[in-house]
Amino acid sequence: MKPLIVFFILIFLVFEISKAQVQPQYLQDPGQYGKTLESSTSVDIQGNPYLFEGWNGGLASMTKGGVQIKISKLRYNVLKERVEFENNGRIMFLDPETFSQFILINGSDSLVFRNKIDGIKSVSVASYLQIAYEGKNLWVIKPIKNLINDPESTYGSTKKKLIQNDESFFVVKTNKEVVSFKMSNRSITKSFGIEGKSITGFLNNKGYSLDNPQHYKWIFAWLDNQI
């Protein structure tokens, strides 16, 4: 066999072996990795503890080994900070130590969530944050659900709590500096040194709003080029 042919065969084999090593392994049975939920609460909770109403399809990725699990019924319990799924009629959840990332498919969007993001000290390493935009900097959103007392509950009545929605925003810069900010013109100006009129001009030109989550990705992409 000619040396040149041997060389190209070797290159091809190395490429195929490397590709096989990095390709994720898709497993169809998430039940072997899940833990069964135990429902126990004496508190009457009003509101939706989940990121979305109902179930979504998605993927869960293991921290080690590149293994991914396809899950047809997946949801994120923001209140409990827990990734839940349905398996053969049982509601189970994934261990955040084992699974560092999951993806929720919401209509035409795929929302990526990760935990163990270095530098964000105010958030537990087990908590998942949405990767809103990844450019030269990493822009993340922490969905929050808090329980508050029902102001209409009478004294001595059955315990009743309401779910209150909130969000925290962070950017992890290339130098690993973490900046916490709010989606307001004033906070963005103070946090990143961008003139308020520049922000307003960009938003008006594109028809974006700081109050619309569907615009966050594009706003972060613009901010990523400004800082």
Side-chain angles (χ1 to χ4, degrees):
M1 189 178 293
K2 295 182 179 181
L4 186 59
I5 296 176
V6 174
F7 172 77
F8 280 112
I9 291 175
L10 288 173
I11 292 296
F12 173 78
L13 289 174
V14 170
F15 174 76
E16 289 298 312
I17 292 172
S18 300
K19 186 171 66 172
Q21 289 175 342
V22 299
Q23 284 183 336
Q25 304 172 49
Y26 290 106
L27 303 181
Q28 299 299 327
D29 180 18
Q32 60 181 307
Y33 297 103
K35 300 180 180 180
T36 304
L37 272 179
E38 296 180 2
S39 57
S40 59
T41 177
S42 58
V43 180
D44 181 16
I45 298 176
Q46 301 294 318
N48 175 32
Y50 302 100
L51 188 65
F52 301 115
E53 295 280 356
W55 297 96
N56 298 80
L59 292 170
S61 303
M62 286 186 171
T63 306
K64 298 179 181 179
V67 177
Q68 291 188 335
I69 300 178
K70 292 180 179 178
I71 302 177
S72 59
K73 287 189 174 182
L74 186 69
R75 64 189 181 190
Y76 183 42
N77 188 326
V78 180
L79 183 63
K80 299 289 186 180
E81 297 190 320
R82 190 168 57 199
V83 183
E84 301 176 359
F85 65 97
E86 184 178 313
N87 185 67
N88 295 325
R90 292 184 301 163
I91 306 301
M92 309 181 76
F93 69 98
L94 297 173
D95 182 2
E97 285 294 324
T98 305
F99 291 88
S100 58
Q101 178 173 296
F102 72 93
I103 298 173
L104 279 180
I105 300 172
N106 183 39
S108 59
D109 292 331
S110 295
L111 306 183
V112 180
F113 293 81
R114 291 182 202 153
N115 62 15
K116 303 179 180 67
I117 297 178
D118 292 336
I120 306 180
K121 297 179 180 179
S122 61
V123 177
S124 165
V125 293
S127 300
Y128 291 94
L129 298 97
Q130 181 186 346
I131 308 302
Y133 181 77
E134 195 164 4
K136 63 182 180 181
N137 306 290
L138 183 65
W139 301 80
V140 298
I141 304 171
K142 175 68 175 69
I144 299 170
K145 302 263 187 177
N146 292 316
L147 283 180
I148 62 172
N149 293 322
D150 184 357
E152 296 182 0
S153 293
T154 57
Y155 180 77
S157 63
T158 304
K159 292 181 179 179
K160 186 177 180 181
K161 299 282 187 179
L162 301 179
I163 293 178
Q164 186 180 60
N165 300 318
D166 199 0
E167 291 176 311
S168 292
F169 300 87
F170 304 91
V171 56
V172 183
K173 295 185 177 181
T174 52
N175 63 359
K176 303 304 179 183
E177 177 191 0
V178 176
V179 178
S180 172
F181 65 98
K182 299 181 182 297
M183 288 300 282
S184 69
N185 197 310
R186 180 178 179 182
S187 178
I188 292 173
T189 298
K190 182 179 179 180
S191 300
F192 305 115
I194 302 173
E195 291 187 4
K197 61 181 181 181
S198 297
I199 303 169
T200 303
F202 165 74
L203 295 174
N204 291 340
N205 183 49
K206 296 294 185 179
Y208 294 153
S209 169
L210 296 175
D211 298 323
N212 190 337
Q214 294 183 347
H215 298 162
Y216 288 170
K217 176 181 178 180
W218 313 113
I219 295 171
F220 294 155
W222 179 79
L223 289 172
D224 198 62
N225 290 318
Q226 308 299 312
I227 65 176

